[in-house]
Structures are given as C-alpha cells and as structure tokens.
Amino acid sequence: MQPMSELRTVEWTNGRVRMIDQTKLPYKFVYVSYKNYREIARAIKEMVVRGAPAIGVAAAMGIALAADSSHAKTKQQLISELGAAAVVLRKSRPTAWNLFWAIDRILQVARNAAGEPKKIASRVVEESLKIAEEDIEANKRIGEHGAALLNDGDKVLTHCNTGTLATVSYGTALAPIRTAIKQGKRLQVIATETRPRLQGAKLTTYELLRDRIPVTLIVDGAVGYVMNKGLVNKAIVGADRVTKKFVANKVGTYLIALAAQANEIPFYVAAPTSTFDLRSNHSEVQIEERNAQEVTHIGGKRIVPKGVKVFNPAFDVTPVELVEGFITEKGVIRADMVRAGVLGT
Ligand code: MRU
C-alpha cells in the first residue's frame, strides 16, 4: 500500500478533479471525480474534501473546471462565468482563508491573461495546478523547519487532521513529524479525537497507521490530563486562518493552547503563508457553525434527548500570544512578527 505522504488528496485528471472521499474513511479508501464547480462546492461543504489548504486547491480547480468547459466567445464573458463560479465556491466554507486566497489568485490570473478565451482558460487550469504543486512544496519546507524543533523521544500532541488529507499532500502540522521521523528521530504522536466530526479519530490515526508512525488516540477532554502527566512535551496544530491577533482553527484548539501554557508545553501552529490573512484593520472572522446533527448523532444514531438545543461552532480562536512559533514554509515565525504583519521574504 502506498504511504499517505505520497498520495494526493486533490488532483486534476483528464479534465476532472479527483479527490479522496474523506467521508468514507477509515472504512473505505475511495476516490471521487467531479466535472463542474457546483459539484466541487458541494464536496467542500459536505467535507468530502476538508482542511484549509486542500479546500483552497479544490476551489481553484473548481474555477479551472468552469474555465475548461466554457464556450465563452470573449474574455469578458469568460471572466463573468468564472466570477459566477467564484461566488458559489466562496460560500462553501467561510473560515478557511486558503479558499478566498486561492479564488482571488486564480481570478487575478484570468483578468491579467491576454488572448482568446481558450488560451485564458488554459492559463487558469495551469494556475490551479501550480497552486497544488506549491502547496506540496510549502508543506515539505514546513516539514524541514518544524523537524528542527523536534527531538528524539518527543511526544507530540496534535488536533484534528492536518496531514496529507488536509492538504494536497504531506500535511502541515503532520509535516514536521514526518520529516523528523525520516531523519531518524523517534516520536510518539498523541492525536485528539476531535469531536464532533472526529477528524483526529478517523483521519489522523488512519494516515499515521498507514505510514507506520506511532500514534495514540485520546478523547478531547483528556488533553489537560495527558499534558499534566507529562505524556506530551510539544503540541503542533494547523490553522484555518491566521490573523494578526489570533489563529482560527478546529474547535478545541484554544483549550489545547491554554492547557499547554498552564503546563509549560510549547504550542506551535504549522501553516503555509497562504493561510495568513494579515489585512491591516481586520479583526473579525466568520466562524462556521455547522448542523446540530453533527453533535446530536453518532453514526446516524441520536445520542441525546429529542429537542435539545445545540451550538456547534466548527472552529475557535486562539490569541497569537499563546503560540510559541508559527512554522511556515519561510521558517519559524514568532508571534510578535505575526502581530506586526511580517512573514519574512
Ligand atoms: O473542518 P475541517 O476538518 O476542514 O478543519 C480542519 C482544521 O481545522 C485544520 O486544522 C486546518 O484546516 C489546517 S489543516 C492543514
């Protein structure tokens, strides 16, 4: 079986977009293939594809599908079709900055391109492939920079899924772990279950077991206990969006950061610079609220009394001051630099 670190979660194949169907894991490993941007938007919403970088690439490829199948006679007509696709894709998930970043980048390329609509369309497809390649490249660099922070024997806690399945390949928070292990360091990963969608239990353990990386699964509520018992000495999580003030990431991240601070455990955030939204006067981010059924049901079976009121935010926000370092493709960036909006060259 091919290791997860060599697979691609999202890929352009023969004029279609192929994805690993993450709603079927860990029971079944299957690919699904999409032919238009509406299907891609639905796949993002329903979490067939998830994880901020993977969502960004999927959206870029969604616009590429719109370009590739267009019969537009003029550039203006093509741009307006791509704009319509962008409107639908932007509504798919509101928190992941990579989604907006990738859509803006691809629309800009289309606007700047010269020539016949067909030529502009191929330029759009090409750019979506470039974004995918850059994602893998960034993750490999995150792996190198992050591995330098890890020592032989470390026990690293991670949350949600931040591996190949959350990116095009290799992952963000799992990248330093992969690279350190390749360098011969012996690591133990502690993965949180990640209620309610169970990305940690279903996806992270699947990825790590498949790649023979030692992993122990804990329930979310056990984080404080394992830290206090010394069963963890570092924490690395991913991010859906980093602003100058906070990190928006899978709900539960803030509590992990607080527990890490209380137990003097360094808490790192691993993310490509495409996840950083450092617009100057920007402090509000829409935190996605998902269906109550994600909380009230497990495996299709209701586990709570009928009629109970539910609040189900998919993400939370962690102040940047709680972050020991941001592991990016450009190096490890301190919180005060992020506050100042500086990510390096
Ligand atoms: O709701 P999800 O599964 O898309 O949430 C994913 C996360 O919160 C990840 O930590 C984040 O996107 C970074 S993944 C490289």
Side-chain angles (χ1 to χ4, degrees):
M1 208 171 10
Q2 231 182 327
M4 284 304 293
S5 58
E6 287 171 14
L7 296 181
R8 286 184 179 222
T9 295
V10 191
E11 203 168 6
W12 181 269
T13 41
N14 304 323
R16 289 186 175 225
V17 178
R18 190 179 83 152
M19 298 178 189
I20 297 171
D21 184 349
Q22 301 192 37
T23 63
K24 301 286 191 305
L25 286 169
Y27 321 110
K28 271 191 204 157
F29 184 93
V30 284
Y31 286 99
V32 274
S33 200
Y34 298 111
K35 55 185 185 315
N36 65 52
Y37 73 84
R38 286 188 191 279
E39 290 174 341
I40 301 269
R42 202 174 317 122
I44 296 174
K45 216 178 256 176
E46 290 172 2
M47 296 174 72
V48 170
V49 62
R50 29 93 18 225
I55 291 171
V57 171
M61 290 187 178
I63 297 196
L65 284 176
D68 198 44
S69 61
S70 169
H71 298 292
K73 299 264 180 297
T74 63
K75 174 173 174 178
Q76 202 187 357
Q77 203 183 335
L78 178 66
I79 300 290
S80 113
E81 287 176 15
L82 302 189
V87 169
V88 174
L89 287 159
R90 274 187 219 279
K91 285 190 196 141
S92 56
R93 290 197 80 186
T95 309
W97 180 243
N98 303 63
L99 172 74
F100 304 96
W101 171 86
I103 292 173
D104 287 346
R105 172 167 160 179
I106 211 134
L107 289 182
Q108 193 57 40
V109 161
R111 280 189 218 104
N112 291 345
E116 293 300 303
K118 279 281 164 228
K119 195 171 160 213
I120 301 173
S122 352
R123 183 65 197 87
V124 166
V125 174
E126 204 181 287
E127 190 69 13
S128 74
L129 305 186
K130 197 165 162 223
I131 294 175
E133 293 309 317
E134 283 175 15
D135 180 63
I136 302 177
E137 192 49 40
N139 297 339
K140 294 275 166 79
R141 288 192 189 283
I142 288 172
E144 283 160 27
H145 295 303
L149 302 168
L150 298 176
N151 300 316
D152 189 33
D154 273 354
K155 289 165 274 184
V156 186
L157 183 132
T158 191
H159 189 47
C160 195
N161 171 269
T162 58
T164 282
L165 292 167
T167 59
V168 177
S169 195
Y170 211 70
T172 56
L174 293 192
I177 292 165
R178 285 202 154 100
T179 306
I181 284 178
K182 273 193 204 152
Q183 293 168 347
K185 294 174 189 167
R186 282 158 300 181
L187 303 180
Q188 298 284 332
V189 178
I190 310 290
T192 56
E193 208 178 16
T194 320
R195 275 280 288 156
R197 296 283 301 210
L198 302 173
Q199 293 94 327
K202 291 182 168 181
L203 307 177
T204 301
T205 58
Y206 176 84
E207 268 204 61
L208 295 180
L209 287 177
R210 191 164 160 166
D211 287 5
R212 298 179 200 287
I213 296 175
V215 58
T216 304
L217 178 66
I218 59 168
V219 299
D220 300 327
V223 168
Y225 178 72
V226 298
M227 285 188 174
N228 188 253
K229 284 289 275 180
L231 301 174
V232 158
N233 67 329
K234 270 162 201 156
I236 314 182
V237 302
D240 263 68
R241 189 183 302 215
V242 181
T243 72
K244 286 179 183 171
K245 293 190 178 151
F246 55 76
V247 178
N249 191 49
K250 181 52 54 197
V251 68
T253 301
Y254 182 33
L255 282 176
I256 293 173
L258 288 172
Q261 182 189 43
N263 289 282
E264 295 179 7
I265 290 170
F267 172 83
Y268 295 100
V269 171
T273 50
S274 51
T275 304
F276 287 70
D277 170 18
L278 301 179
R279 289 171 291 167
S280 52
N281 49 10
H282 182 75
S283 58
E284 278 297 308
V285 165
Q286 194 188 335
I287 297 296
E288 178 185 10
E289 279 178 42
R290 294 187 63 88
N291 198 313
Q293 200 160 329
E294 288 185 347
V295 180
T296 57
H297 288 61
I298 292 184
K301 194 175 181 314
R302 188 161 48 79
I303 54 153
V304 300
K306 265 189 189 160
V308 71
K309 207 167 136 193
V310 171
F311 174 50
N312 182 21
F315 301 96
D316 63 19
V317 292
T318 300
V320 292
E321 289 73 20
L322 292 178
V323 181
E324 176 85 13
F326 289 86
I327 311 168
T328 75
E329 74 276 21
K330 296 185 175 186
V332 181
I333 298 170
R334 291 192 323 267
D336 54 344
M337 299 299 277
V338 172
R339 276 205 84 94
V342 183
L343 294 183
T345 47

